[in-house]
Amino acid sequence: MLPLSLLAVALSWALFALTFGRYRRRPSLHNALYSLGLLLFALAVSAELLARLQGGWTPFLYRLWYFTGAMHGVTFLGLGSLALLYPRAARALLLALSPFLLFGLYLVATAPLDPARLPEPYTPSGAAFPPPGLLSPRLWTIPFNLLGTLLMAGVALYTTLFFWRKNPLRAQGTALVFLAALVLASTSALNRLGVVGLEEAGRAFGVAILYLGVVLADRSARDAGGRA
């Protein structure tokens, strides 16, 4: 599974570089949030790879992975997707979520760890934290992941249907983004249900689809600009 982890890391950083470059050329809330979301995702898969390479989690790597991946792997991607259609709504939602984001960071940074609960020392599972409860980070991953996935998948599906005839290339790109959201959400849900061992394949497949979708959507935008 190590080659899949390497692929996920390489594609994640490449996708972050692509979207951050887009943000520098065309600054917007959408591009900023999407770049932040992809940065967090790249940090998460990199932490997973480092844990596997060194044979186990360190407390810092585990907490970094949990906050950037398990808790917020799709939160900012979803907010960025919402900002593409409704920037004011995305800004208001981000403001409303800010106290919960900070509270989640506090819990991840301070909750006690027991790596002995993990099936393997490097397993990407939240089991090292206390069981789900109001003061356990494991409870707070659920609303963040659900919100991010619904926003990301919902906007991608809407734009796919909207551009299906007007801009087929863009529709294909957003359809791939929708599929990537489902793959990443399914991987996360299986992990939360105790099904481990599929993370590397799920994340590599999901980020590969997401990369292709973003590239196609970008290409459609450049083509449309060239024809204008």
Side-chain angles (χ1 to χ4, degrees):
M1 290 295 185
L2 188 58
L4 290 176
S5 296
L6 288 169
L7 176 64
V9 169
L11 287 175
S12 297
W13 284 109
L15 189 51
F16 164 68
L18 177 67
T19 54
F20 185 66
R22 183 173 59 187
Y23 167 73
R24 294 186 65 183
R25 294 190 302 273
R26 301 190 299 273
S28 67
L29 181 62
H30 158 67
N31 286 329
L33 289 170
Y34 223 73
S35 296
L36 177 58
L38 288 167
L39 174 61
L40 295 182
F41 191 87
L43 288 171
V45 294
S46 298
E48 285 185 40
L49 177 61
L50 287 174
R52 179 174 287 276
L53 290 175
Q54 66 187 16
W57 292 103
T58 63
F60 172 77
L61 271 183
Y62 187 84
R63 295 181 193 275
L64 174 67
W65 162 77
Y66 201 85
F67 183 76
T68 60
M71 184 173 284
H72 294 302
V74 294
T75 304
F76 291 95
L77 296 179
L79 287 170
S81 296
L82 179 62
L84 179 63
L85 297 181
Y86 305 107
R88 289 185 179 179
R91 195 174 287 110
L93 182 56
L94 178 61
L95 183 63
L97 288 176
S98 294
F100 300 100
L101 294 170
L102 293 174
F103 183 59
L105 176 60
Y106 168 76
L107 290 179
V108 171
T110 60
L113 289 178
D114 185 3
R117 297 196 191 104
L118 298 174
E120 298 289 345
Y122 50 80
T123 301
S125 164
F129 279 127
L134 287 178
L135 297 180
S136 171
R138 294 174 66 182
L139 175 67
W140 293 89
T141 60
I142 299 172
F144 284 127
N145 278 278
L146 182 61
L147 175 65
T149 300
L150 288 176
L151 289 175
M152 185 179 173
V155 171
L157 181 60
Y158 170 79
T159 51
T160 298
L161 297 174
F162 183 81
F163 286 106
W164 193 254
R165 295 192 178 187
K166 297 181 178 181
N167 190 333
L169 186 60
R170 182 167 182 177
Q172 292 169 21
T174 54
L176 289 174
V177 172
F178 172 73
L179 179 59
L182 295 184
V183 171
L184 294 172
S186 299
T187 301
S188 178
L190 288 172
N191 180 285
R192 196 168 288 108
L193 292 172
V195 181
V196 297
L198 300 176
E199 295 83 7
E200 290 87 351
R203 290 193 177 98
F205 186 48
V207 77
I209 299 173
L210 182 60
Y211 183 87
L212 182 57
V214 171
V215 168
L216 286 178
D218 268 9
R219 183 178 300 171
S220 74
R222 289 197 302 269
D223 291 348
R227 291 192 296 268

mmCIF file of all heavy atoms in Angstrom, residues 23-46:
data_model
loop_
_atom_site.group_PDB
_atom_site.id
_atom_site.type_symbol
_atom_site.label_atom_id
_atom_site.label_comp_id
_atom_site.label_asym_id
_atom_site.label_seq_id
_atom_site.Cartn_x
_atom_site.Cartn_y
_atom_site.Cartn_z
ATOM 1 N N TYR A 23 -5.300 30.877 -7.166
ATOM 2 C CA TYR A 23 -5.657 31.935 -6.218
ATOM 3 C C TYR A 23 -4.769 33.167 -6.417
ATOM 4 O O TYR A 23 -5.248 34.313 -6.359
ATOM 5 C CB TYR A 23 -5.521 31.426 -4.782
ATOM 6 C CG TYR A 23 -5.573 32.525 -3.750
ATOM 7 C CD1 TYR A 23 -6.768 33.160 -3.454
ATOM 8 C CD2 TYR A 23 -4.408 32.936 -3.102
ATOM 9 C CE1 TYR A 23 -6.820 34.187 -2.523
ATOM 10 C CE2 TYR A 23 -4.448 33.962 -2.167
ATOM 11 C CZ TYR A 23 -5.657 34.583 -1.883
ATOM 12 O OH TYR A 23 -5.694 35.603 -0.968
ATOM 13 N N ARG A 24 -3.481 32.954 -6.660
ATOM 14 C CA ARG A 24 -2.574 34.091 -6.854
ATOM 15 C C ARG A 24 -2.912 34.859 -8.135
ATOM 16 O O ARG A 24 -2.757 36.081 -8.179
ATOM 17 C CB ARG A 24 -1.127 33.601 -6.899
ATOM 18 C CG ARG A 24 -0.635 33.016 -5.585
ATOM 19 C CD ARG A 24 0.837 32.688 -5.647
ATOM 20 N NE ARG A 24 1.637 33.893 -5.806
ATOM 21 C CZ ARG A 24 2.962 33.889 -5.944
ATOM 22 N NH1 ARG A 24 3.622 32.731 -5.955
ATOM 23 N NH2 ARG A 24 3.624 35.016 -6.091
ATOM 24 N N ARG A 25 -3.377 34.127 -9.156
ATOM 25 C CA ARG A 25 -3.753 34.800 -10.410
ATOM 26 C C ARG A 25 -5.116 35.463 -10.305
ATOM 27 O O ARG A 25 -5.325 36.540 -10.852
ATOM 28 C CB ARG A 25 -3.766 33.789 -11.567
ATOM 29 C CG ARG A 25 -2.412 33.213 -11.929
ATOM 30 C CD ARG A 25 -2.493 32.428 -13.226
ATOM 31 N NE ARG A 25 -3.471 31.344 -13.156
ATOM 32 C CZ ARG A 25 -3.205 30.122 -12.710
ATOM 33 N NH1 ARG A 25 -1.983 29.818 -12.283
ATOM 34 N NH2 ARG A 25 -4.154 29.197 -12.677
ATOM 35 N N ARG A 26 -6.042 34.786 -9.605
ATOM 36 C CA ARG A 26 -7.411 35.302 -9.492
ATOM 37 C C ARG A 26 -7.862 35.199 -8.033
ATOM 38 O O ARG A 26 -8.596 34.281 -7.660
ATOM 39 C CB ARG A 26 -8.367 34.506 -10.391
ATOM 40 C CG ARG A 26 -8.018 34.529 -11.856
ATOM 41 C CD ARG A 26 -9.138 33.936 -12.710
ATOM 42 N NE ARG A 26 -9.400 32.534 -12.385
ATOM 43 C CZ ARG A 26 -8.747 31.520 -12.929
ATOM 44 N NH1 ARG A 26 -7.787 31.741 -13.803
ATOM 45 N NH2 ARG A 26 -9.064 30.283 -12.609
ATOM 46 N N PRO A 27 -7.410 36.132 -7.188
ATOM 47 C CA PRO A 27 -7.777 36.070 -5.764
ATOM 48 C C PRO A 27 -9.293 36.115 -5.574
ATOM 49 O O PRO A 27 -9.978 36.955 -6.155
ATOM 50 C CB PRO A 27 -7.115 37.317 -5.170
ATOM 51 C CG PRO A 27 -6.006 37.639 -6.112
ATOM 52 C CD PRO A 27 -6.515 37.270 -7.470
ATOM 53 N N SER A 28 -9.792 35.168 -4.780
ATOM 54 C CA SER A 28 -11.221 35.113 -4.471
ATOM 55 C C SER A 28 -11.400 34.251 -3.234
ATOM 56 O O SER A 28 -10.514 33.476 -2.865
ATOM 57 C CB SER A 28 -12.020 34.525 -5.643
ATOM 58 O OG SER A 28 -11.692 33.154 -5.820
ATOM 59 N N LEU A 29 -12.548 34.401 -2.587
ATOM 60 C CA LEU A 29 -12.834 33.575 -1.407
ATOM 61 C C LEU A 29 -12.876 32.102 -1.790
ATOM 62 O O LEU A 29 -12.378 31.248 -1.043
ATOM 63 C CB LEU A 29 -14.169 34.004 -0.796
ATOM 64 C CG LEU A 29 -14.595 33.246 0.464
ATOM 65 C CD1 LEU A 29 -13.588 33.451 1.587
ATOM 66 C CD2 LEU A 29 -15.997 33.673 0.893
ATOM 67 N N HIS A 30 -13.462 31.792 -2.927
ATOM 68 C CA HIS A 30 -13.538 30.405 -3.394
ATOM 69 C C HIS A 30 -12.150 29.793 -3.527
ATOM 70 O O HIS A 30 -11.864 28.702 -2.993
ATOM 71 C CB HIS A 30 -14.276 30.355 -4.737
ATOM 72 C CG HIS A 30 -13.983 29.138 -5.550
ATOM 73 N ND1 HIS A 30 -14.375 27.872 -5.164
ATOM 74 C CD2 HIS A 30 -13.321 28.985 -6.726
ATOM 75 C CE1 HIS A 30 -13.972 26.987 -6.064
ATOM 76 N NE2 HIS A 30 -13.325 27.638 -7.021
ATOM 77 N N ASN A 31 -11.254 30.480 -4.227
ATOM 78 C CA ASN A 31 -9.907 29.944 -4.431
ATOM 79 C C ASN A 31 -9.116 29.876 -3.127
ATOM 80 O O ASN A 31 -8.323 28.952 -2.916
ATOM 81 C CB ASN A 31 -9.162 30.791 -5.457
ATOM 82 C CG ASN A 31 -9.646 30.547 -6.875
ATOM 83 O OD1 ASN A 31 -10.080 29.446 -7.214
ATOM 84 N ND2 ASN A 31 -9.587 31.572 -7.715
ATOM 85 N N ALA A 32 -9.340 30.849 -2.230
ATOM 86 C CA ALA A 32 -8.634 30.847 -0.950
ATOM 87 C C ALA A 32 -9.059 29.652 -0.094
ATOM 88 O O ALA A 32 -8.218 28.937 0.474
ATOM 89 C CB ALA A 32 -8.891 32.159 -0.208
ATOM 90 N N LEU A 33 -10.362 29.435 0.019
ATOM 91 C CA LEU A 33 -10.855 28.331 0.840
ATOM 92 C C LEU A 33 -10.478 26.978 0.247
ATOM 93 O O LEU A 33 -10.127 26.039 0.975
ATOM 94 C CB LEU A 33 -12.374 28.442 0.992
ATOM 95 C CG LEU A 33 -12.872 29.578 1.883
ATOM 96 C CD1 LEU A 33 -14.388 29.728 1.764
ATOM 97 C CD2 LEU A 33 -12.470 29.341 3.336
ATOM 98 N N TYR A 34 -10.562 26.873 -1.071
ATOM 99 C CA TYR A 34 -10.208 25.614 -1.708
ATOM 100 C C TYR A 34 -8.719 25.329 -1.539
ATOM 101 O O TYR A 34 -8.317 24.182 -1.296
ATOM 102 C CB TYR A 34 -10.593 25.650 -3.191
ATOM 103 C CG TYR A 34 -11.242 24.372 -3.655
ATOM 104 C CD1 TYR A 34 -12.543 24.061 -3.270
ATOM 105 C CD2 TYR A 34 -10.555 23.462 -4.457
ATOM 106 C CE1 TYR A 34 -13.138 22.889 -3.677
ATOM 107 C CE2 TYR A 34 -11.157 22.284 -4.869
ATOM 108 C CZ TYR A 34 -12.438 22.008 -4.480
ATOM 109 O OH TYR A 34 -13.021 20.828 -4.874
ATOM 110 N N SER A 35 -7.883 26.361 -1.653
ATOM 111 C CA SER A 35 -6.442 26.182 -1.442
ATOM 112 C C SER A 35 -6.157 25.751 -0.009
ATOM 113 O O SER A 35 -5.333 24.858 0.230
ATOM 114 C CB SER A 35 -5.694 27.479 -1.767
ATOM 115 O OG SER A 35 -5.811 27.820 -3.123
ATOM 116 N N LEU A 36 -6.834 26.379 0.953
ATOM 117 C CA LEU A 36 -6.647 26.006 2.356
ATOM 118 C C LEU A 36 -7.077 24.564 2.586
ATOM 119 O O LEU A 36 -6.388 23.791 3.270
ATOM 120 C CB LEU A 36 -7.440 26.952 3.257
ATOM 121 C CG LEU A 36 -7.408 26.641 4.754
ATOM 122 C CD1 LEU A 36 -5.979 26.625 5.283
ATOM 123 C CD2 LEU A 36 -8.266 27.636 5.531
ATOM 124 N N GLY A 37 -8.223 24.179 2.019
ATOM 125 C CA GLY A 37 -8.695 22.810 2.184
ATOM 126 C C GLY A 37 -7.719 21.802 1.611
ATOM 127 O O GLY A 37 -7.453 20.749 2.227
ATOM 128 N N LEU A 38 -7.143 22.096 0.462
ATOM 129 C CA LEU A 38 -6.200 21.168 -0.154
ATOM 130 C C LEU A 38 -4.866 21.154 0.587
ATOM 131 O O LEU A 38 -4.192 20.116 0.630
ATOM 132 C CB LEU A 38 -6.002 21.536 -1.625
ATOM 133 C CG LEU A 38 -7.220 21.216 -2.493
ATOM 134 C CD1 LEU A 38 -7.105 21.882 -3.860
ATOM 135 C CD2 LEU A 38 -7.375 19.708 -2.659
ATOM 136 N N LEU A 39 -4.482 22.281 1.179
ATOM 137 C CA LEU A 39 -3.282 22.296 2.013
ATOM 138 C C LEU A 39 -3.462 21.375 3.221
ATOM 139 O O LEU A 39 -2.571 20.579 3.554
ATOM 140 C CB LEU A 39 -2.985 23.720 2.475
ATOM 141 C CG LEU A 39 -1.827 23.868 3.476
ATOM 142 C CD1 LEU A 39 -0.517 23.379 2.869
ATOM 143 C CD2 LEU A 39 -1.709 25.317 3.944
ATOM 144 N N LEU A 40 -4.612 21.480 3.883
ATOM 145 C CA LEU A 40 -4.881 20.608 5.034
ATOM 146 C C LEU A 40 -4.899 19.146 4.614
ATOM 147 O O LEU A 40 -4.351 18.273 5.311
ATOM 148 C CB LEU A 40 -6.214 20.991 5.677
ATOM 149 C CG LEU A 40 -6.299 22.379 6.321
ATOM 150 C CD1 LEU A 40 -7.672 22.582 6.954
ATOM 151 C CD2 LEU A 40 -5.204 22.563 7.349
ATOM 152 N N PHE A 41 -5.510 18.853 3.471
ATOM 153 C CA PHE A 41 -5.572 17.475 2.993
ATOM 154 C C PHE A 41 -4.170 16.950 2.692
ATOM 155 O O PHE A 41 -3.831 15.807 3.050
ATOM 156 C CB PHE A 41 -6.435 17.400 1.734
ATOM 157 C CG PHE A 41 -6.766 16.000 1.312
ATOM 158 C CD1 PHE A 41 -7.869 15.349 1.833
ATOM 159 C CD2 PHE A 41 -5.974 15.321 0.399
ATOM 160 C CE1 PHE A 41 -8.178 14.040 1.457
ATOM 161 C CE2 PHE A 41 -6.261 14.027 0.021
ATOM 162 C CZ PHE A 41 -7.367 13.384 0.550
ATOM 163 N N ALA A 42 -3.330 17.780 2.069
ATOM 164 C CA ALA A 42 -1.954 17.362 1.761
ATOM 165 C C ALA A 42 -1.158 17.109 3.038
ATOM 166 O O ALA A 42 -0.371 16.159 3.122
ATOM 167 C CB ALA A 42 -1.274 18.418 0.894
ATOM 168 N N LEU A 43 -1.351 17.956 4.044
ATOM 169 C CA LEU A 43 -0.675 17.742 5.325
ATOM 170 C C LEU A 43 -1.123 16.441 5.974
ATOM 171 O O LEU A 43 -0.311 15.708 6.566
ATOM 172 C CB LEU A 43 -0.953 18.917 6.265
ATOM 173 C CG LEU A 43 -0.259 20.238 5.924
ATOM 174 C CD1 LEU A 43 -0.798 21.361 6.819
ATOM 175 C CD2 LEU A 43 1.257 20.098 6.107
ATOM 176 N N ALA A 44 -2.411 16.135 5.859
ATOM 177 C CA ALA A 44 -2.949 14.921 6.481
ATOM 178 C C ALA A 44 -2.363 13.662 5.848
ATOM 179 O O ALA A 44 -1.902 12.750 6.548
ATOM 180 C CB ALA A 44 -4.472 14.906 6.372
ATOM 181 N N VAL A 45 -2.376 13.576 4.516
ATOM 182 C CA VAL A 45 -1.857 12.365 3.874
ATOM 183 C C VAL A 45 -0.344 12.274 4.038
ATOM 184 O O VAL A 45 0.216 11.167 4.090
ATOM 185 C CB VAL A 45 -2.267 12.294 2.387
ATOM 186 C CG1 VAL A 45 -3.773 12.129 2.252
ATOM 187 C CG2 VAL A 45 -1.783 13.503 1.598
ATOM 188 N N SER A 46 0.338 13.419 4.145
ATOM 189 C CA SER A 46 1.781 13.400 4.396
ATOM 190 C C SER A 46 2.077 12.866 5.798
ATOM 191 O O SER A 46 3.035 12.103 5.996
ATOM 192 C CB SER A 46 2.370 14.808 4.231
ATOM 193 O OG SER A 46 2.206 15.277 2.912
#
